[in-house]
Amino acid sequence: MAQQETVFGASMLETLTTGMYKDPIIIYREYIQNACDAIDQAVREGLYAEQRQGSVHLFIDRDKRYVSIEDNGAGVPVAKFRSTVGDIANSAKEAGKDKGFRGIGRLAGLAYCKRLVFTTRAAGESVVSHLECDAVLFCTMVNEKGHTAAEVLDAAFSFSTEAVKKKDAPHFFRVELYDVEREADDLLDKDRIRGYLSFVAPAAYENGFYQRSMITGYAAQHGVRLDEYHIVLNDQPIFKAYRTNYHYKEGKQDAVQDLTFKELKTVDGTVLAWLWYARTGFYGALAGKDRALAGIRVRVGNIQIGDEDTLRPFYPEARFAGYVLGELHILPSAGLRPHARRDYFN
C-alpha cells in the first residue's frame, strides 16, 4: 500500500506571514538580513574586497504607498531563483554562518501590501529573474478553507525572466512592496523606521559616538567579526544610535567616559560572546528621548535580538537596566540559535 503524501494546509502560510511578527516594521530587519547575507556572499566570491563595498538601499514613497529594499550583493542565479525565493523553509543558508537561515522571512511582506515583487540578477549572468506575488489572492486563499499551501503558492506566485542587453549590468536583489495596506502605515513612516534600524540593523556607529574606534579596534585585535554595512534610507545613511553625551533623571547630563570590554568563556577557554558597556557617571536611569538607548543589547551577526528589555531579568533589580548601555555580541561558538521571531533564542 502506497504511503499517503503529507499535506500542508494553507493556514500554515498565515503563521509565516501575519502570525509571525507582532509589528509590521520588523519586515525591514528580515529583508536587510537577507541583503547582508548577499553582500557577504559577494565578498566570498571575490566581487568585493570588504563588506562596506556592498550597500543596502531602502526607498519609501508614502504618497504612492511603495517600498523597495535593494542590495548590490551577489544576486541569485537564474538556475536557483525559483527554489531560492519560491520554496518555503528550505533555505541553503547555514546557521552560524549566515544571518538568515530558515527561508521564511521573505514572505513577511505579503501580509502588508497588495503586490510583492522580487527581482534579481546574479553576477556574470545576462538574465534578470522576477517573482511577482499577488498578495490579495494569497491572503484570500489562505483565509478560505480547503486549499493546500502548495495550491496557494502556485496560484499567487508568477515567475518570469528577461534578457539583459548590457554585459556589465549590475548584480543586485530587490524587494518591492506595492500598495502598502493602510493598517501597515508604520512601514511608510521614515522617522520610525530610521529609529528602529538604528538599533536593530548591522550598521556602523554614529560619528558622534567618540568611543566607536575602541569597539572596532577591540574586535579587530581579538579576531572577532563586527559586521558593519552601508545601509541607506531615502539617500540618508543609517548609523547605530549611540553617542557620547546623555541625559538622565531631573534633566541632568553626563557623558560616556570610557568603555569596558569583557569576554564570556567556557571552562576550557572557548570564547562564547564579548561585551562592551559604557562607564559613566549616571546616578539614575536614562531619561527623555535617551531612555530608548538604555540597556545591554544582545546581537548576533551584529543584528539585534529582542530589545532593550531582553536582559532585564538578569539584573539584581530590573530598574538597573536603565542605568547602563552597551552590547553583548554572541559568537557562533556559543551554539545559540535565534528563534524565528529573533527576539530570543531556541
Side-chain angles (χ1 to χ4, degrees):
M1 182 177 178
Q3 185 176 359
Q4 186 174 352
E5 182 179 351
T6 301
V7 174
F8 291 92
S11 60
M12 178 192 73
L13 298 175
E14 182 180 24
T15 302
L16 299 179
T17 51
T18 55
M20 180 59 69
Y21 307 115
K22 62 183 179 181
D23 189 334
I25 203 171
I26 295 175
I27 73 171
Y28 286 110
R29 180 195 66 198
E30 295 299 307
Y31 289 130
I32 288 175
Q33 174 181 282
N34 288 337
C36 292
D37 279 338
I39 292 170
D40 288 347
Q41 182 182 346
V43 173
R44 291 194 297 269
E45 293 178 359
L47 300 173
Y48 299 129
E50 58 181 4
Q51 288 174 336
R52 292 195 185 188
Q53 290 179 269
S55 60
V56 185
H57 285 262
L58 290 77
F59 177 75
I60 296 171
D61 189 323
R62 190 177 188 91
D63 293 334
K64 294 182 179 180
R65 308 194 69 79
Y66 169 83
V67 171
S68 72
I69 305 102
E70 181 171 338
D71 66 75
N72 61 351
V76 180
V78 63
K80 297 181 179 180
F81 180 70
R82 184 179 289 266
S83 61
T84 299
V85 302
D87 289 354
I88 307 301
N90 188 31
S91 176
K93 295 182 181 181
E94 300 177 30
K97 175 183 177 183
D98 297 299
K99 293 172 177 59
F101 51 87
R102 287 188 172 86
I104 58 177
R106 66 182 171 276
L107 290 179
L110 280 168
Y112 307 114
C113 65
K114 289 183 169 59
R115 189 160 56 99
L116 180 67
V117 179
F118 300 96
T119 308
T120 186
R121 174 185 175 272
E125 293 194 340
S126 58
V127 175
V128 171
S129 302
H130 302 274
L131 168 57
E132 183 165 332
C133 310
D134 186 333
V136 175
L137 178 60
F138 177 92
C139 292
T140 298
M141 293 183 69
V142 164
N143 291 323
E144 292 175 348
K145 291 185 177 181
H147 297 298
T148 66
E151 289 171 348
V152 173
L153 296 177
D154 287 344
F157 286 11
S158 176
F159 292 88
S160 63
T161 59
E162 63 177 298
V164 178
K165 295 180 180 179
K166 294 184 179 180
K167 293 183 179 180
D168 58 347
H171 45 87
F172 70 96
F173 192 98
R174 182 170 61 244
V175 182
E176 296 172 285
L177 283 73
Y178 291 88
D179 298 316
V180 172
E181 299 287 354
R182 297 288 174 182
E183 295 81 358
D185 264 357
D186 282 350
L187 293 180
L188 304 171
D189 185 338
K190 292 190 288 292
D191 291 337
R192 185 175 180 224
I193 293 162
R194 181 175 296 279
Y196 169 76
L197 293 178
S198 70
F199 288 107
V200 172
Y205 294 98
E206 175 69 68
N207 289 338
F209 184 42
Y210 301 138
Q211 291 78 15
R212 68 188 186 279
S213 60
M214 295 177 63
I215 301 172
T216 55
Y218 176 91
Q221 180 182 353
H222 289 77
V224 291
R225 285 183 57 171
L226 181 62
D227 294 335
E228 293 182 336
Y229 301 86
H230 183 54
I231 302 173
V232 179
L233 171 59
N234 283 33
D235 296 326
Q236 294 295 318
I238 289 175
F239 297 98
K240 285 186 179 178
Y242 299 109
R243 60 184 189 278
T244 298
N245 297 301
Y246 294 90
H247 293 86
Y248 59 102
K249 68 176 184 178
E250 299 173 357
K252 296 180 180 179
Q253 186 172 346
D254 197 10
V256 174
Q257 300 162 4
D258 199 358
L259 301 182
T260 294
F261 295 87
K262 291 184 180 294
E263 293 181 335
L264 281 67
K265 301 180 180 180
T266 63
V267 292
D268 65 359
T270 301
V271 179
L272 305 179
W274 63 279
L275 163 75
W276 71 261
Y277 64 88
R279 293 174 59 188
T280 71
F282 299 158
Y283 291 99
L286 295 181
K289 293 182 179 179
D290 289 347
R291 182 176 298 144
L293 297 163
I296 303 294
R297 311 295 179 117
V298 181
R299 307 185 77 85
V300 174
N302 207 15
I303 297 177
Q304 183 171 284
I305 302 295
D307 55 24
E308 68 273 18
D309 293 324
T310 298
L311 295 183
R312 189 176 289 269
F314 297 94
Y315 290 87
E317 294 183 30
R319 64 189 176 91
F320 291 146
Y323 287 61
V324 298
L325 57 93
E327 295 177 335
L328 176 65
H329 290 264
I330 308 295
L331 301 178
S333 54
L336 292 176
R337 181 169 173 164
H339 60 48
R341 292 178 187 268
R342 296 186 73 87
D343 52 18
Y344 209 65
F345 301 93
N346 288 334

